[in-house]
Amino acid sequence: MKKKDVPSLVKDERLIKKRRDQIVKAAVHLFNQKGYHKATTREVAQASGFSIGTLYEYIGSKEDILYLVCDAVYDEVVEKWETLMDENLHGLDRLYQVIEAYFRVVDDLQNEVLVMYQESKSLSEEALSYVLEKEMRMKEMFEKELIKAKELELIQIEEGQLSMVCHNILVAGHMWTFRRWALHKEYTIDTYCKWQINQLFYGLSVNKSATKTITKVQQNLETEGTV
Amino acid sequence: MKKKDVPSLVKDERLIKKRRDQIVKAAVHLFNQKGYHKATTREVAQASGFSIGTLYEYIGSKEDILYLVCDAVYDEVVEKWETLMDENLHGLDRLYQVIEAYFRVVDDLQNEVLVMYQESKSLSEEALSYVLEKEMRMKEMFEKELIKAKELELIQIEEGQLSMVCHNILVAGHMWTFRRWALHKEYTIDTYCKWQINQLFYGLSVNKSATKTITKVQQNLETEGTV
Amino acid sequence: MKKKDVPSLVKDERLIKKRRDQIVKAAVHLFNQKGYHKATTREVAQASGFSIGTLYEYIGSKEDILYLVCDAVYDEVVEKWETLMDENLHGLDRLYQVIEAYFRVVDDLQNEVLVMYQESKSLSEEALSYVLEKEMRMKEMFEKELIKAKELELIQIEEGQLSMVCHNILVAGHMWTFRRWALHKEYTIDTYCKWQINQLFYGLSVNKSATKTITKVQQNLETEGTV
Amino acid sequence: MKKKDVPSLVKDERLIKKRRDQIVKAAVHLFNQKGYHKATTREVAQASGFSIGTLYEYIGSKEDILYLVCDAVYDEVVEKWETLMDENLHGLDRLYQVIEAYFRVVDDLQNEVLVMYQESKSLSEEALSYVLEKEMRMKEMFEKELIKAKELELIQIEEGQLSMVCHNILVAGHMWTFRRWALHKEYTIDTYCKWQINQLFYGLSVNKSATKTITKVQQNLETEGTV
DNA sequence: AATGAATGAGTGTTCATTCAT
DNA sequence: CATGAATGAACACTCATTCAT
């Protein structure tokens, strides 16, 4: 899926970048406050520091603003993430850090991530799939790390579990923003990282003598024929 | 937080219930397709099988529709969940089942949960806090079970982890709907339950010889002074 | 102009009268509070003590309510007026009393008169002309009295003045309602009657010698440099 | 009570004034025909010569239109009134002229005055009190003149009568519009002025010795050729 | 005769988008 | 390149009126 083309009537690429940065910054703030649908293009223009006419010199439609935001947020997340990484770490330490760094970037870019998260569904199919593709690329970053760790025999992970765990990690990051009404009361970003990583690697530490196979539960449910 | 009052011009309580059920059903469908903001009240009325005037005999504002949806979805989830529970199960089996049953209910009520999940942020503060309270009550159901399991020494779980794990379970359920664009390609609800529960209880099965304490990682990160 | 026909689905004339009395009473109250246009038929029905369906058993349209009100108010004014009249009075005293009694009836039926006064313009042409005809009939009552007084040489009034004075009297009554925001602060109905009647009969008591001395006064003032 | 703020999305003050003049003109015409409540904002926009969207660039709500009308009408009345005044007249002549000029302005601005008169009650409390204050200021103009005349001993007027007479004069002006269905059949503005002023100063001539100098005043006014 | 649920045309208002200056 | 006035389709919501029960 290609980058969606956002039309501009202006030629100067440098100016386009500058104005769009202004737009994104203003839009993130506004969309956070009122949501994408309730924020008006006029408001975005004003918050960006120019007129509605000028706004439309740099975008083709309101949706483009949302697209620019989502696009920018992914880039910013990845960029900051890379800044945080210590390339000297190895083994499990590296794995922990990749995840923790991600959580911390999300914490840092809370508003941005939240907007992208809550409003991206309003994108057109074309724009959405581009954005989702970026999401998948982030997922792949975790997959790579996990596969590497598995190959190094640092962790044991079954085939089917791999992808799901990466989804879980990503969503655990998002959660920190979209469930902040609850989580921020109970956790700091430090404790949140600690417990999420702990949970991710060690689970609920099942007392082994109590273990029964999940398969059995499955069977029970299936014989009941419900759902 | 009390149940928000949704005004109706109609007196017959039975009829109100019937019509509101129609409205909720139609609204879930519509909001799924186009989202809350893009769906018009006229469309909701039409999809409900009556005129716009009649719609407004049973609600006070468009927001009330969303509120009715969210309220109904929670009730429906809890109700179906209870139906699925086999009260004869005990120990870890019960724990597995509580979680799996929840996932299966979410799967069954995918559209409903997705709408509630994606659109509830558009509720007014008053309505939202009522809805969030319901969410917290669901979280408590998991908490109770986990505490019970802990007391029976079926699992080991530290203080700070408990709440977060419950959030994780709830969100893992939601994920099945809001990330279905990815997850449903890779998993069936059966395999999804299996892997999520597996992951929840056993984590990534860290190879013990490779284990280092998370605290150490934390220290590394902190000494770097980043974030 | 004939009495406008207000259709009713009910046969029993006595019931029609009873219900319409209820309607008029409720409507006067409501129209006073919110005005004819902002008051809804539902509200009128409710304030009348029955359902919207029943309301429409006794009227054909919302406008009929206004017509009923206007019609009733005139009748009530005339009726109360006659009650107040002392037939033993004669001469100027009678004239004073006719006018004062009218003012006092208006004071008594303030809300009714105000509604009729402010809202009758919303009647259809047909209904309006019937109402205006009633107004003219009231005017004629004053005309008769004034003509009688003129014939008795109690007052001097020129041809063209007669009609206008009667309009003035009627409007002076209405004024007491539609300018009550100002008049009721400054006058009681007693003082209002006194001064209006005084003004009506004696005017501003122009100083007779003033006409002649004006030039003189002016000269004085002008030399003083004032004015 | 301060001038109510009517919000506009347009910045150019000159354009605002121009457009609002258009709006007022169109609204007076429409409100006369159908009344404030039955006239739609779309009709006002169309009659003003622009689209509904443009209308709302210059007002905040429908009520603002009514407010603009009332506000403008008062200003226009006062302005025209002042134009008509001959500052060289003194004594009773001046008094006659102040009143007659007012009647003639009302005649000239019939539609405007009638709308303001009949619809101002639909204003919000805030706007209404501002409008009523303007009305009171007009009343004070008459009060000043009467007090001056009293001090010059041109007229005799008792304390309690003064305010009421001014109300009467104002209402006599309004009457010429809201009772035109009757008055215009019987009077021209010339005869209406003559008889109202006559009545105002000399009453019903109970006392037979009352003079009729009005004819003379009329001649003065007529020879000036104004109005 | 009374009820009140159903109707849908109509209303005020918003806002993304355009385009002349 | 920037501006902001103009546009009008679209929307939430109201309410007089009807009619089956």
Side-chain angles (χ1 to χ4, degrees):
Chain A
M1 198 62 55
K2 273 189 189 174
K3 192 152 190 153
K4 193 191 153 190
D5 176 55
V6 177
S8 173
L9 299 174
V10 175
K11 310 279 172 177
D12 183 348
E13 286 294 338
R14 201 170 308 230
L15 192 53
I16 292 179
K17 169 134 187 49
K18 182 183 159 196
R19 292 278 182 260
R20 287 189 178 168
D21 283 349
Q22 289 176 277
I23 293 169
V24 167
K25 198 177 168 189
V28 165
H29 185 68
L30 264 169
F31 295 173
N32 244 289
Q33 282 190 319
K34 339 177 68 178
Y36 170 69
H37 283 102
K38 289 201 176 164
T40 68
T41 52
R42 267 185 156 93
E43 287 170 321
V44 174
Q46 192 174 30
S48 301
F50 33 74
S51 72
I52 181 70
T54 302
L55 178 67
Y56 273 87
E57 297 267 315
Y58 296 95
I59 58 163
S61 72
K62 188 185 180 188
E63 204 209 287
D64 286 344
I65 302 173
L66 184 56
Y67 174 74
L68 288 177
V69 167
C70 292
D71 197 28
V73 170
Y74 271 109
D75 292 346
E76 209 175 346
V77 165
V78 171
E79 187 192 343
K80 286 218 173 187
W81 194 5
E82 285 166 353
T83 317
L84 281 188
M85 297 292 293
D86 177 354
E87 294 297 334
N88 296 323
L89 289 180
H90 296 286
L92 271 181
D93 282 353
R94 176 174 170 85
L95 205 49
Y96 294 157
Q97 203 212 25
V98 165
I99 296 163
E100 179 158 351
Y102 165 66
F103 288 163
R104 290 184 183 277
V105 170
V106 169
D107 181 56
D108 202 32
L109 300 175
Q110 257 178 72
N111 292 339
E112 284 79 358
V113 171
L114 188 55
V115 164
M116 189 207 66
Y117 197 71
Q118 293 191 323
E119 309 290 3
S120 62
K121 70 177 198 303
S122 296
L123 290 170
S124 68
E125 199 166 351
E126 185 201 351
L128 181 59
S129 46
Y130 172 73
V131 167
L132 293 182
E133 202 195 337
K134 280 203 161 180
E135 172 87 4
M136 291 311 273
R137 240 176 288 150
M138 284 190 65
K139 196 192 118 197
E140 282 162 18
M141 296 175 79
F142 290 114
E143 280 177 332
K144 272 185 205 159
E145 297 290 336
L146 287 181
I147 288 167
K148 206 165 62 185
K150 187 189 175 189
E151 283 167 356
L152 294 171
E153 297 188 343
L154 301 171
I155 59 170
Q156 276 192 311
I157 186 165
E158 295 195 42
E159 196 66 33
Q161 206 170 353
L162 177 66
S163 174
M164 198 200 65
V165 165
C166 294
H167 280 290
N168 282 359
I169 296 170
L170 277 169
V171 171
H174 297 159
M175 261 176 75
W176 183 244
T177 70
F178 70 75
R179 283 180 92 83
R180 60 183 177 192
W181 53 272
L183 292 172
H184 290 208
K185 287 179 194 159
E186 307 177 64
Y187 302 94
T188 63
I189 184 61
D190 290 331
T191 57
Y192 186 72
C193 288
K194 178 179 139 192
W195 292 120
Q196 279 293 13
I197 290 171
N198 189 38
Q199 171 63 30
L200 186 66
F201 286 87
Y202 305 101
L204 292 175
S205 304
V206 179
N207 181 334
K208 295 213 171 134
S209 62
T211 312
K212 295 187 182 176
T213 58
I214 289 183
T215 339
K216 205 179 163 191
V217 183
Q218 290 282 110
Q219 284 169 352
N220 282 337
L221 284 163
E222 280 161 6
T223 41
E224 281 165 29
T226 31
V227 182
Chain B
M1 198 61 56
K2 272 189 187 174
K3 195 153 190 152
K4 192 190 154 191
D5 177 56
V6 177
S8 172
L9 298 174
V10 172
K11 295 175 181 176
D12 183 346
E13 287 293 338
R14 201 163 312 194
L15 192 54
I16 292 178
K17 170 136 186 47
K18 183 182 158 194
R19 292 278 181 261
R20 287 189 177 166
D21 284 349
Q22 289 177 273
I23 293 170
V24 167
K25 199 177 165 189
V28 165
H29 185 68
L30 262 168
F31 294 173
N32 246 290
Q33 282 189 318
K34 340 178 68 177
Y36 170 68
H37 284 101
K38 288 201 176 163
T40 69
T41 52
R42 274 185 158 79
E43 285 171 323
V44 174
Q46 193 172 30
S48 302
F50 32 73
S51 70
I52 181 68
T54 301
L55 177 67
Y56 275 88
E57 297 263 311
Y58 297 94
I59 57 163
S61 70
K62 188 185 179 187
E63 204 209 288
D64 285 343
I65 302 173
L66 183 55
Y67 175 73
L68 287 177
V69 167
C70 291
D71 197 29
V73 170
Y74 271 109
D75 292 346
E76 210 176 344
V77 165
V78 171
E79 188 192 344
K80 286 220 173 187
W81 194 3
E82 285 165 353
T83 316
L84 280 189
M85 297 292 293
D86 178 352
E87 295 298 333
N88 297 321
L89 289 180
H90 298 285
L92 271 181
D93 282 352
R94 175 173 171 87
L95 206 48
Y96 294 157
Q97 203 212 21
V98 165
I99 297 163
E100 179 159 349
Y102 165 65
F103 289 161
R104 289 183 181 279
V105 170
V106 169
D107 182 55
D108 202 32
L109 299 175
Q110 256 177 73
N111 292 338
E112 284 79 359
V113 171
L114 187 54
V115 164
M116 190 207 64
Y117 196 72
Q118 293 191 322
E119 309 290 2
S120 62
K121 70 175 200 304
S122 296
L123 289 170
S124 68
E125 199 167 349
E126 187 202 351
L128 182 58
S129 47
Y130 173 73
V131 167
L132 292 183
E133 203 197 336
K134 281 203 161 181
E135 172 87 3
M136 293 310 274
R137 239 177 288 151
M138 284 191 63
K139 194 192 121 196
E140 283 162 19
M141 296 175 78
F142 290 114
E143 280 177 332
K144 273 185 205 160
E145 296 290 337
L146 287 180
I147 288 167
K148 206 166 62 183
K150 187 188 176 188
E151 284 166 356
L152 294 172
E153 299 188 340
L154 301 172
I155 58 170
Q156 275 192 311
I157 187 165
E158 295 193 43
E159 198 64 34
Q161 205 169 355
L162 177 67
S163 176
M164 197 199 66
V165 166
C166 294
H167 280 293
N168 283 358
I169 296 171
L170 277 169
V171 171
H174 296 158
M175 261 176 75
W176 183 244
T177 70
F178 70 73
R179 283 178 93 83
R180 59 185 178 190
W181 52 273
L183 292 172
H184 291 208
K185 285 179 194 159
E186 306 178 64
Y187 301 93
T188 63
I189 184 62
D190 291 332
T191 56
Y192 186 72
C193 287
K194 177 178 139 193
W195 292 120
Q196 280 292 15
I197 290 171
N198 188 41
Q199 170 63 28
L200 186 67
F201 286 86
Y202 306 101
L204 292 175
S205 302
V206 178
N207 183 335
K208 299 228 166 117
S209 61
T211 312
K212 295 184 185 177
T213 57
I214 289 186
T215 337
K216 206 178 162 191
V217 182
Q218 289 284 109
Q219 285 169 349
N220 283 336
L221 284 163
E222 280 160 8
T223 40
E224 281 164 29
T226 33
V227 181
Chain C
M1 198 62 57
K2 274 189 187 174
K3 192 153 189 152
K4 191 192 154 189
D5 177 55
V6 176
S8 172
L9 299 174
V10 175
K11 311 278 171 176
D12 183 347
E13 287 294 338
R14 199 168 309 228
L15 192 54
I16 292 179
K17 168 132 187 51
K18 182 183 159 195
R19 292 278 181 261
R20 288 189 177 167
D21 284 350
Q22 290 176 275
I23 294 169
V24 166
K25 198 177 166 189
V28 164
H29 184 70
L30 265 169
F31 294 173
N32 245 289
Q33 284 190 317
K34 339 178 66 175
Y36 170 69
H37 282 101
K38 288 199 178 166
T40 68
T41 51
R42 266 183 154 93
E43 286 170 323
V44 174
Q46 192 174 29
S48 302
F50 34 74
S51 70
I52 181 67
T54 303
L55 178 67
Y56 273 86
E57 298 268 314
Y58 297 95
I59 57 163
S61 72
K62 189 185 180 187
E63 203 209 289
D64 286 344
I65 302 173
L66 184 55
Y67 174 74
L68 288 176
V69 166
C70 293
D71 197 28
V73 171
Y74 272 108
D75 292 346
E76 209 176 345
V77 166
V78 171
E79 187 192 344
K80 287 219 173 188
W81 194 4
E82 285 167 353
T83 316
L84 281 187
M85 296 294 292
D86 179 351
E87 294 298 332
N88 295 323
L89 288 180
H90 297 285
L92 270 181
D93 281 352
R94 176 176 169 84
L95 206 47
Y96 294 158
Q97 204 212 21
V98 165
I99 296 163
E100 178 158 351
Y102 165 66
F103 287 162
R104 288 184 183 279
V105 170
V106 169
D107 182 55
D108 202 33
L109 299 174
Q110 256 177 72
N111 292 339
E112 284 79 358
V113 171
L114 187 54
V115 164
M116 190 207 64
Y117 194 72
Q118 293 191 322
E119 309 290 2
S120 61
K121 70 177 200 301
S122 296
L123 289 171
S124 68
E125 200 168 348
E126 186 200 351
L128 182 58
S129 46
Y130 172 72
V131 167
L132 293 183
E133 202 195 335
K134 280 204 161 180
E135 172 86 3
M136 291 311 275
R137 239 176 288 150
M138 284 191 65
K139 196 192 118 197
E140 283 162 18
M141 296 175 77
F142 289 114
E143 280 177 333
K144 272 185 205 162
E145 297 290 337
L146 286 181
I147 288 168
K148 206 165 61 185
K150 188 188 174 188
E151 284 166 356
L152 294 172
E153 297 189 344
L154 300 172
I155 58 170
Q156 273 193 313
I157 186 164
E158 295 195 42
E159 197 64 35
Q161 207 170 353
L162 177 66
S163 174
M164 198 200 64
V165 166
C166 295
H167 279 293
N168 282 359
I169 296 170
L170 276 169
V171 171
H174 296 159
M175 259 176 77
W176 182 244
T177 70
F178 70 74
R179 281 179 94 82
R180 59 184 178 190
W181 52 273
L183 292 172
H184 290 209
K185 286 180 194 158
E186 306 179 62
Y187 301 94
T188 64
I189 184 61
D190 291 333
T191 56
Y192 186 72
C193 287
K194 176 179 140 195
W195 292 119
Q196 279 293 13
I197 289 170
N198 187 42
Q199 171 63 30
L200 186 67
F201 285 87
Y202 306 101
L204 292 176
S205 304
V206 179
N207 185 334
K208 278 162 204 172
S209 60
T211 330
K212 298 167 190 170
T213 51
I214 283 185
T215 350
K216 213 180 161 187
V217 179
Q218 276 181 323
Q219 284 168 352
N220 283 337
L221 282 165
E222 279 161 6
T223 41
E224 282 166 26
T226 32
V227 182
Chain D
M1 198 61 57
K2 274 190 187 173
K3 195 155 189 146
K4 191 190 153 189
D5 177 56
V6 177
S8 172
L9 298 175
V10 173
K11 296 174 178 176
D12 182 347
E13 287 294 338
R14 201 166 312 198
L15 192 54
I16 292 178
K17 169 135 187 47
K18 182 183 159 195
R19 292 278 180 261
R20 286 190 178 166
D21 284 349
Q22 289 178 272
I23 293 170
V24 167
K25 199 177 166 190
V28 164
H29 184 68
L30 262 169
F31 293 173
N32 246 291
Q33 283 190 318
K34 340 179 65 177
Y36 170 68
H37 283 102
K38 289 200 177 163
T40 68
T41 52
R42 278 181 161 80
E43 286 170 323
V44 174
Q46 193 172 28
S48 301
F50 33 71
S51 70
I52 181 65
T54 301
L55 177 67
Y56 273 88
E57 296 263 312
Y58 295 95
I59 56 162
S61 70
K62 189 185 179 187
E63 204 209 287
D64 285 344
I65 302 173
L66 184 54
Y67 175 73
L68 287 177
V69 167
C70 292
D71 197 30
V73 171
Y74 271 108
D75 292 346
E76 210 176 344
V77 165
V78 171
E79 189 192 343
K80 286 218 172 187
W81 194 3
E82 285 167 352
T83 318
L84 280 189
M85 297 293 293
D86 178 353
E87 294 298 332
N88 296 322
L89 288 181
H90 298 283
L92 272 182
D93 282 354
R94 176 174 170 87
L95 205 48
Y96 294 157
Q97 203 212 23
V98 165
I99 296 163
E100 179 158 350
Y102 166 65
F103 288 162
R104 289 185 183 277
V105 169
V106 169
D107 181 55
D108 201 32
L109 300 174
Q110 256 178 73
N111 292 338
E112 283 80 358
V113 171
L114 187 55
V115 163
M116 189 208 65
Y117 197 72
Q118 293 191 322
E119 309 290 2
S120 62
K121 70 175 200 301
S122 296
L123 289 171
S124 69
E125 199 167 347
E126 186 201 350
L128 182 58
S129 48
Y130 173 72
V131 167
L132 292 183
E133 203 197 336
K134 281 203 161 182
E135 172 86 4
M136 292 311 274
R137 241 177 287 151
M138 285 191 64
K139 197 193 116 196
E140 282 163 18
M141 296 175 78
F142 290 115
E143 279 178 331
K144 273 186 205 159
E145 297 290 337
L146 286 181
I147 287 168
K148 206 166 63 185
K150 188 189 175 188
E151 284 167 355
L152 294 172
E153 297 188 345
L154 301 173
I155 59 171
Q156 277 192 307
I157 187 165
E158 296 195 42
E159 197 66 35
Q161 207 169 352
L162 177 66
S163 175
M164 198 199 65
V165 166
C166 295
H167 280 292
N168 282 359
I169 296 171
L170 277 168
V171 171
H174 297 159
M175 260 176 76
W176 182 244
T177 70
F178 69 74
R179 283 179 91 83
R180 61 183 178 191
W181 52 273
L183 291 173
H184 291 208
K185 288 178 194 160
E186 306 178 63
Y187 302 93
T188 64
I189 185 61
D190 290 333
T191 56
Y192 185 72
C193 287
K194 176 178 138 193
W195 291 120
Q196 280 291 16
I197 290 171
N198 189 39
Q199 171 62 30
L200 186 66
F201 285 86
Y202 305 101
L204 292 176
S205 303
V206 178
N207 180 340
K208 286 174 191 173
S209 59
T211 28
K212 289 164 208 167
T213 48
I214 290 206
T215 337
K216 209 180 161 188
V217 182
Q218 287 286 114
Q219 285 168 352
N220 281 336
L221 283 163
E222 281 159 7
T223 40
E224 280 164 29
T226 32
V227 183

